[in-house]
Amino acid sequence: MDNLIPLPYLFIFIIGASIGSFLNVCMHRLPGDQSIITPASHCPHCKAPIRFYDNVPILSYLLLRGRCRVCGNPISIQYISVEVINGAAYVLITWKFGLSAGSLFYALLFSALLVISVIDLYHKIIPDVITIPGIIIGLLASTFILPSGIKGAISGALLGSSLFFIIAVVSRGGMGGGDIKLIAMIGSFLGLTDVLITIILSSFIGSVVGILMMVFFGKSRKYMIPFGPFLSIGGIISLFFKTEIVEWYIGLNLWR
Ligand SMILES: [Zn+2]
Protein backbone atom coordinates (compact mmCIF):
# COMPACT_ATOMS: atom_id res chain seq x y z
CA MET A 1 0.00 0.00 0.00
CA ASP A 2 1.19 3.44 -0.88
CA ASN A 3 0.67 5.54 2.25
CA LEU A 4 0.26 8.70 0.21
CA ILE A 5 -2.93 7.62 -1.55
CA PRO A 6 -5.38 8.25 1.31
CA LEU A 7 -3.98 11.73 2.04
CA PRO A 8 -5.84 13.62 -0.71
CA TYR A 9 -9.01 11.84 0.36
CA LEU A 10 -8.48 12.89 3.98
CA PHE A 11 -7.99 16.45 2.78
CA ILE A 12 -11.17 16.27 0.66
CA PHE A 13 -13.08 14.82 3.62
CA ILE A 14 -12.01 17.78 5.79
CA ILE A 15 -13.12 20.24 3.08
CA GLY A 16 -16.45 18.42 2.76
CA ALA A 17 -17.01 18.38 6.53
CA SER A 18 -16.14 22.09 6.82
CA ILE A 19 -18.60 22.94 4.05
CA GLY A 20 -21.08 20.66 5.87
CA SER A 21 -20.69 22.96 8.86
CA PHE A 22 -21.79 25.87 6.65
CA LEU A 23 -24.66 23.76 5.25
CA ASN A 24 -25.98 23.35 8.81
CA VAL A 25 -26.19 27.13 9.06
CA CYS A 26 -28.08 27.26 5.73
CA MET A 27 -30.54 24.57 6.91
CA HIS A 28 -31.34 26.60 10.03
CA ARG A 29 -31.51 30.06 8.57
CA LEU A 30 -32.86 29.73 5.00
CA PRO A 31 -36.42 28.67 5.97
CA GLY A 32 -36.79 31.82 8.12
CA ASP A 33 -35.23 34.11 5.51
CA GLN A 34 -32.36 34.83 7.91
CA SER A 35 -28.94 35.89 6.68
CA ILE A 36 -26.51 32.99 6.31
CA ILE A 37 -23.52 35.31 6.89
CA THR A 38 -24.45 37.17 10.11
CA PRO A 39 -24.69 36.80 13.05
CA ALA A 40 -21.93 34.34 13.87
CA SER A 41 -22.92 30.82 14.98
CA HIS A 42 -24.52 30.67 18.40
CA CYS A 43 -26.00 28.04 20.71
CA PRO A 44 -29.74 27.63 19.94
CA HIS A 45 -30.48 27.28 23.69
CA CYS A 46 -28.48 29.98 25.48
CA LYS A 47 -27.56 32.11 22.43
CA ALA A 48 -23.92 32.14 23.53
CA PRO A 49 -21.67 32.68 20.52
CA ILE A 50 -19.73 29.57 19.55
CA ARG A 51 -15.99 30.21 19.84
CA PHE A 52 -13.83 29.41 16.86
CA TYR A 53 -12.11 26.54 18.71
CA ASP A 54 -15.51 25.00 19.43
CA ASN A 55 -16.54 25.31 15.79
CA VAL A 56 -14.19 22.71 14.30
CA PRO A 57 -16.32 20.31 12.23
CA ILE A 58 -16.91 16.86 13.80
CA LEU A 59 -14.04 17.18 16.32
CA SER A 60 -15.67 19.89 18.45
CA TYR A 61 -18.89 17.92 18.62
CA LEU A 62 -16.99 14.85 19.82
CA LEU A 63 -14.79 16.77 22.29
CA LEU A 64 -17.80 18.55 23.81
CA ARG A 65 -19.75 15.25 23.77
CA GLY A 66 -22.56 16.91 21.84
CA ARG A 67 -23.20 19.64 24.46
CA CYS A 68 -22.89 23.42 24.51
CA ARG A 69 -19.78 24.52 26.45
CA VAL A 70 -21.68 27.38 28.13
CA CYS A 71 -25.11 25.98 29.06
CA GLY A 72 -24.53 22.22 28.71
CA ASN A 73 -27.68 21.67 26.67
CA PRO A 74 -27.43 18.96 24.01
CA ILE A 75 -26.53 20.02 20.46
CA SER A 76 -28.58 18.27 17.77
CA ILE A 77 -26.92 15.21 16.26
CA GLN A 78 -27.92 16.72 12.91
CA TYR A 79 -24.82 18.95 13.04
CA ILE A 80 -22.24 16.19 13.11
CA SER A 81 -24.35 13.97 10.80
CA VAL A 82 -24.45 16.62 8.06
CA GLU A 83 -20.70 17.21 8.40
CA VAL A 84 -19.85 13.51 8.18
CA ILE A 85 -22.28 12.85 5.31
CA ASN A 86 -21.06 15.83 3.27
CA GLY A 87 -17.39 14.91 3.87
CA ALA A 88 -17.98 11.27 2.94
CA ALA A 89 -19.94 12.27 -0.18
CA TYR A 90 -17.10 14.50 -1.42
CA VAL A 91 -14.68 11.58 -0.98
CA LEU A 92 -16.98 9.21 -2.92
CA ILE A 93 -17.52 11.77 -5.70
CA THR A 94 -13.75 12.31 -6.08
CA TRP A 95 -13.17 8.56 -5.98
CA LYS A 96 -15.77 7.99 -8.72
CA PHE A 97 -15.21 11.04 -10.97
CA GLY A 98 -11.60 11.95 -10.18
CA LEU A 99 -10.05 15.23 -9.12
CA SER A 100 -11.86 17.14 -11.85
CA ALA A 101 -14.00 20.19 -12.52
CA GLY A 102 -16.92 17.80 -12.97
CA SER A 103 -16.48 16.51 -9.41
CA LEU A 104 -16.62 20.10 -8.16
CA PHE A 105 -20.07 20.55 -9.70
CA TYR A 106 -21.29 17.15 -8.50
CA ALA A 107 -20.15 18.09 -4.99
CA LEU A 108 -22.09 21.34 -5.30
CA LEU A 109 -25.17 19.41 -6.46
CA PHE A 110 -24.85 16.97 -3.56
CA SER A 111 -24.62 19.73 -0.96
CA ALA A 112 -27.59 21.55 -2.49
CA LEU A 113 -29.64 18.32 -2.37
CA LEU A 114 -28.61 17.70 1.24
CA VAL A 115 -29.73 21.17 2.37
CA ILE A 116 -32.98 20.88 0.37
CA SER A 117 -33.75 17.43 1.84
CA VAL A 118 -33.34 18.53 5.46
CA ILE A 119 -35.31 21.76 4.97
CA ASP A 120 -38.08 19.88 3.13
CA LEU A 121 -38.25 17.25 5.90
CA TYR A 122 -38.70 19.82 8.67
CA HIS A 123 -40.53 22.65 6.91
CA LYS A 124 -42.15 21.05 3.83
CA ILE A 125 -40.65 23.69 1.57
CA ILE A 126 -37.94 23.62 -1.08
CA PRO A 127 -36.29 27.05 -1.15
CA ASP A 128 -36.15 28.84 -4.52
CA VAL A 129 -32.88 30.48 -3.41
CA ILE A 130 -31.25 27.07 -3.92
CA THR A 131 -33.13 25.57 -6.87
CA ILE A 132 -33.24 28.58 -9.21
CA PRO A 133 -29.51 29.42 -9.05
CA GLY A 134 -28.99 25.62 -9.10
CA ILE A 135 -30.80 25.31 -12.45
CA ILE A 136 -28.68 28.11 -13.96
CA ILE A 137 -25.38 26.71 -12.62
CA GLY A 138 -26.35 23.21 -13.77
CA LEU A 139 -27.14 24.39 -17.31
CA LEU A 140 -23.85 26.30 -17.52
CA ALA A 141 -21.85 23.37 -16.13
CA SER A 142 -23.55 20.98 -18.57
CA THR A 143 -22.76 23.32 -21.48
CA PHE A 144 -19.05 23.55 -20.71
CA ILE A 145 -17.99 20.69 -18.43
CA LEU A 146 -20.43 17.93 -17.47
CA PRO A 147 -21.06 14.88 -19.71
CA SER A 148 -24.82 15.55 -19.73
CA GLY A 149 -24.25 18.30 -22.33
CA ILE A 150 -26.53 21.28 -22.92
CA LYS A 151 -29.10 19.31 -24.96
CA GLY A 152 -29.37 16.57 -22.34
CA ALA A 153 -29.57 19.14 -19.56
CA ILE A 154 -32.33 21.18 -21.19
CA SER A 155 -34.36 18.14 -22.25
CA GLY A 156 -33.96 16.56 -18.80
CA ALA A 157 -34.99 19.74 -17.00
CA LEU A 158 -37.96 20.32 -19.33
CA LEU A 159 -39.21 16.73 -19.33
CA GLY A 160 -38.93 16.37 -15.56
CA SER A 161 -40.56 19.68 -14.73
CA SER A 162 -43.40 19.38 -17.28
CA LEU A 163 -44.17 15.85 -16.05
CA PHE A 164 -44.29 17.09 -12.45
CA PHE A 165 -46.33 20.11 -13.53
CA ILE A 166 -48.95 17.81 -15.06
CA ILE A 167 -48.98 15.67 -11.88
CA ALA A 168 -49.36 18.86 -9.79
CA VAL A 169 -52.36 19.98 -11.85
CA VAL A 170 -54.01 16.54 -11.94
CA SER A 171 -53.43 15.77 -8.23
CA ARG A 172 -54.38 19.31 -7.13
CA GLY A 173 -51.53 19.93 -4.74
CA GLY A 174 -50.05 16.44 -4.40
CA MET A 175 -46.94 17.83 -6.02
CA GLY A 176 -45.59 21.27 -5.17
CA GLY A 177 -43.87 23.99 -7.17
CA GLY A 178 -40.71 23.26 -5.18
CA ASP A 179 -40.60 19.69 -6.49
CA ILE A 180 -41.02 20.94 -10.07
CA LYS A 181 -38.01 23.26 -9.71
CA LEU A 182 -36.02 20.57 -7.89
CA ILE A 183 -36.38 17.99 -10.69
CA ALA A 184 -35.44 20.75 -13.17
CA MET A 185 -32.29 21.40 -11.13
CA ILE A 186 -31.36 17.71 -11.07
CA GLY A 187 -31.99 17.53 -14.83
CA SER A 188 -29.87 20.58 -15.56
CA PHE A 189 -26.88 18.95 -13.83
CA LEU A 190 -27.37 15.32 -14.85
CA GLY A 191 -29.37 15.17 -18.10
CA LEU A 192 -32.36 13.28 -19.49
CA THR A 193 -31.52 9.65 -18.61
CA ASP A 194 -30.78 10.59 -15.00
CA VAL A 195 -34.07 12.46 -14.73
CA LEU A 196 -35.98 9.34 -15.81
CA ILE A 197 -34.02 7.14 -13.37
CA THR A 198 -34.50 9.74 -10.60
CA ILE A 199 -38.27 9.90 -11.08
CA ILE A 200 -38.67 6.11 -11.18
CA LEU A 201 -36.40 5.49 -8.15
CA SER A 202 -37.83 8.31 -6.04
CA SER A 203 -41.43 7.27 -6.74
CA PHE A 204 -40.58 3.69 -5.82
CA ILE A 205 -38.66 4.53 -2.63
CA GLY A 206 -41.27 7.15 -1.69
CA SER A 207 -44.11 4.63 -2.08
CA VAL A 208 -42.31 1.99 0.00
CA VAL A 209 -41.58 4.51 2.78
CA GLY A 210 -45.16 5.81 2.60
CA ILE A 211 -46.61 2.30 2.99
CA LEU A 212 -44.22 1.55 5.88
CA MET A 213 -45.25 4.78 7.61
CA MET A 214 -48.92 3.83 7.28
CA VAL A 215 -48.31 0.28 8.56
CA PHE A 216 -45.97 1.08 11.46
CA PHE A 217 -46.89 4.60 12.49
CA GLY A 218 -50.55 4.68 11.49
CA LYS A 219 -50.02 7.78 9.37
CA SER A 220 -53.12 8.32 7.30
CA ARG A 221 -53.11 8.42 3.53
CA LYS A 222 -53.58 12.16 3.82
CA TYR A 223 -50.27 12.59 5.66
CA MET A 224 -47.97 14.40 3.27
CA ILE A 225 -44.48 12.98 3.09
CA PRO A 226 -42.16 15.60 1.58
CA PHE A 227 -40.95 14.37 -1.80
CA GLY A 228 -37.72 16.41 -1.93
CA PRO A 229 -35.59 13.93 0.06
CA PHE A 230 -36.66 11.07 -2.23
CA LEU A 231 -35.90 13.05 -5.38
CA SER A 232 -32.51 13.86 -3.90
CA ILE A 233 -31.75 10.22 -3.05
CA GLY A 234 -32.91 9.14 -6.54
CA GLY A 235 -30.71 11.77 -8.18
CA ILE A 236 -27.63 10.74 -6.19
CA ILE A 237 -28.15 7.01 -6.89
CA SER A 238 -28.51 7.88 -10.58
CA LEU A 239 -25.33 9.99 -10.49
CA PHE A 240 -23.32 7.06 -9.13
CA PHE A 241 -24.99 4.05 -10.78
CA LYS A 242 -26.53 5.27 -14.04
CA THR A 243 -24.37 2.98 -16.20
CA GLU A 244 -25.18 -0.10 -14.10
CA ILE A 245 -28.90 0.74 -14.01
CA VAL A 246 -29.08 1.29 -17.80
CA GLU A 247 -27.14 -1.94 -18.47
CA TRP A 248 -29.41 -3.87 -16.13
CA TYR A 249 -32.46 -2.43 -17.87
CA ILE A 250 -31.18 -3.29 -21.37
CA GLY A 251 -30.35 -6.79 -20.06
CA LEU A 252 -34.01 -7.31 -19.22
CA ASN A 253 -34.78 -7.35 -22.98
CA LEU A 254 -38.26 -5.96 -22.42
CA TRP A 255 -38.66 -4.80 -26.01
CA ARG A 256 -38.13 -8.05 -27.82
ZN1 LIG B 1 -25.71 26.96 25.12
Side-chain angles (χ1 to χ4, degrees), residues 43 46 51 53-54 63-64 67-73 75:
C43 167
C46 68
R51 284 157 220 189
Y53 53 80
D54 283 343
L63 284 172
L64 294 168
R67 289 177 184 281
C68 167
R69 186 188 287 277
V70 179
C71 68
N73 273 307
I75 300 164

Side-chain angles (χ1 to χ4, degrees), residues 179-195:
D179 298 311
I180 297 173
K181 283 167 254 178
L182 175 54
I183 192 67
M185 182 182 96
I186 293 173
S188 72
F189 275 87
L190 301 183
L192 182 60
T193 314
D194 290 75
V195 163

Side-chain angles (χ1 to χ4, degrees), residues 1 17 24 35 37 42 64 87 104 107 114-115 118 139-140 145 154 163 176 182 184 209-211 224 233 237 253:
M1 269 292 280
N24 274 313
S35 163
I37 313 290
H42 53 265
L64 294 168
L104 207 64
L114 186 56
V115 173
V118 173
L139 290 176
L140 287 172
I145 292 156
I154 290 177
L163 198 67
L182 175 54
V209 171
I211 291 166
M224 282 277 293
I233 292 168
I237 295 176
N253 268 323

